[in-house]
């Protein structure tokens, strides 16, 4: 599959009747979907749809199998040991809410410290503010240096024997920095703390093994990995999940319900109250099959080649400022930048008229923007369906935008 033009598989990216195609550079927000994933959803509804775990008839058994098979694919994809360590949620955000409400509220006590980084997405930040407030705990931040990286000293200064929990993004959605999560996990464990990894921007782009990392928990969203919206994943070590109280309660997550008390189902059902997004799980399974066929190392390689090419061109433009690591090996396929004298929102609007889709704003990372003393950036993010031609179109759009705004300078 190595020479395949992946664009073919993504209908929304095909050229129109005039030969124009969308240059989609916003995969950090959500990825486009290949035909294989789109068809898996249609096929599920045509052949397997029923409420899983609820019926004794064949169709419900088929739906249960489809749901369980997807869970096994996720287990293998992130190299977890047991299927029951994979919990399906609505998205990564709900995953962090599950962990903060269930693990956080029952394991964090007065005076304990929770450590996160200043570059966290709001979904891995606000939940910990709530736990810290409710439990009279302290929320501490690891700050980034001028390259958007967390240094070894910062890790050692902030994670101490008082730290009970570290929750850290593997890859920053705002700067593209790949954080040294393995080192952070090892150090946090040596201090007796548990670690949650936000894999929203890493799982789709690189090979990740929760066992190699020794992550206690890991969270990600299916829609950033070629899957559909409305499905997230929480991985947790079995012993930790078993000892946590449920988060969403109601049907399906119970064993026995009495008038005043309830006993809960075994993992993973304990954390999956109510009718689940089986269609989303099936689509995620198809997305994983698609990515596995290409190989995660190959995907990282494609993205690396693209950012090497893009950074060389961006750095050659004196009016463009690029944020994030100078060391390209510490970067994933997210590039945050500014065009001198043009507000990022204007940049994104003008780019749209050139059929180039990028993101502008604070990228759900307001504390990071405040820390860096900026309001917003432009963000181009890449995935396997992007090409060097897309980078050329991006550069062309930057040049045109700069020239256009030079009149007002
Ligand atoms: C690093 C990171 N974490 C968490 C999230 C939240 O994902 P979702 O909106 O799918 O819940 C995002 C989404 O952009 C993200 O980039």
């Amino acid at each position: 599959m190595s020479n395949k033009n992946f664009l073919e598989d993504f209908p929304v990216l095909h050229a129109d009747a005039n030969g124009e195609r969308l240059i989609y550079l916003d995969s950090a927000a959500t990825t486009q979907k290949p035909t294989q994933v789109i068809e898996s959803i249609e096929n599920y509804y045509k052949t397997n749809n029923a409420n899983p775990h609820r019926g004794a008839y064949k169709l419900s058994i088929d739906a249960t199998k489809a749901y369980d098979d997807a869970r096994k694919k996720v287990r293998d994809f992130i190299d977890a040991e047991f299927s029951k360590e994979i919990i399906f949620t609505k998205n990564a955000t709900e995953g962090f809410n599950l962990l903060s409400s269930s693990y956080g509220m029952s394991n964090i006590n007065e005076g304990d410290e929770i450590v996160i980084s200043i570059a966290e997405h709001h979904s891995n930040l606000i939940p910990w503010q709530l736990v810290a407030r409710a439990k009279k705990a302290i929320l501490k931040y690891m700050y980034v240096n001028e390259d958007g990286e967390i240094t070894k000293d910062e890790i050692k200064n902030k994670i101490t024997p008082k730290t009970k929990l570290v929750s850290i993004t593997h890859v920053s959605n705002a700067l593209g920095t790949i954080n040294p999560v393995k080192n952070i996990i090892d150090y946090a464990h040596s201090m007796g703390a548990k670690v949650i990894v936000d894999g929203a921007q890493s799982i789709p782009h690189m090979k990740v093994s929760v066992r190699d990392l020794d992550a206690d928990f890991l969270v990600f969203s299916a829609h950033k990995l070629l899957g559909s919206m409305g499905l997230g994943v929480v991985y947790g070590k079995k012993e930790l999940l078993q000892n946590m109280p449920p988060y969403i309660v109601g049907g399906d997550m119970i064993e026995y319900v009495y008038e005043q008390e309830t006993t809960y189902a075994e993992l993973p059902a304990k954390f999956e109250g109510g009718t689940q997004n089986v269609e989303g799980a099936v689509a995620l399974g198809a997305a994983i099959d698609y990515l596995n066929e290409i190989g995660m190392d190959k995907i990282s390689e494609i993205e690396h080649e693209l950012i090497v090419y893009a950074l060389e061109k961006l750095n050659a433009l004196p009016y463009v400022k690029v944020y994030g690591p100078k060391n390209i090996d510490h970067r994933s396929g997210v590039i945050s930048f500014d065009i001198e004298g043009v507000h990022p929102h204007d940049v994104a609007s003008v780019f749209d008229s050139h059929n180039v889709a990028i993101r502008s704003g604070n990228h759900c990372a307001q504390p990071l923007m405040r820390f860096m003393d900026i309001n917003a950036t432009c963000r181009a993010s890449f995935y396997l369906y992007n090409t060097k031609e897309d980078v050329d179109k991006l550069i062309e759009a930057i040049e045109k935008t700069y020239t256009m705004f030079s009149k007002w300078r």
Side-chain angles (χ1 to χ4, degrees), residues 96 116-121 124 142 150 166-174 177-181 184 196-202:
F96 288 113
I116 64 175
S117 89
I118 194 68
E120 295 311 313
H121 188 280
N124 187 27
M142 293 187 280
I150 303 169
V166 176
S167 195
I168 178 84
T169 194
H170 195 170
V171 169
S172 160
N173 64 304
T177 314
I178 302 174
N179 284 323
V181 281
I184 292 173
I196 300 170
V197 176
D198 179 351
Q201 299 292 348
S202 62

Side-chain angles (χ1 to χ4, degrees), residues 82-106:
F82 306 106
S83 293
K84 61 172 79 165
E85 295 179 317
I86 306 300
I87 312 294
F88 288 126
T89 60
K90 186 171 73 186
N91 47 35
T93 302
E94 189 180 87
F96 288 113
N97 279 267
L98 183 161
L99 292 175
S100 60
S101 298
S102 175
Y103 184 83
M105 288 298 189
S106 44

Side-chain angles (χ1 to χ4, degrees), residues 309-321:
Y309 184 67
L311 285 171
E312 198 183 293
K313 298 215 156 203
L314 288 167
N315 287 329
L317 299 174
Y319 49 85
V320 169
K321 178 175 170 57

Side-chain angles (χ1 to χ4, degrees), residues 41 68 76 88 91 93 134 137 154 168 172 180 205 210 219 227 234 249 262 266 275 299 343 350 361 365 399 405:
I41 297 171
D68 291 346
D76 294 343
F88 288 126
N91 47 35
T93 302
E154 185 63 0
I168 178 84
S172 160
H205 303 278
V210 289
V219 175
V234 169
V249 294
T262 296
E266 294 289 317
T275 298
I299 287 164
H343 192 282
V350 179
E399 286 167 342
F405 278 80

Side-chain angles (χ1 to χ4, degrees), residues 226-250:
L226 309 181
S228 60
M229 291 190 182
L231 190 87
V233 172
V234 169
Y235 156 81
K237 284 181 180 165
K238 189 179 62 168
E239 341 42 271
L240 294 172
L241 291 173
Q242 273 164 345
N243 289 322
M244 285 160 52
Y247 172 54
I248 289 174
V249 294

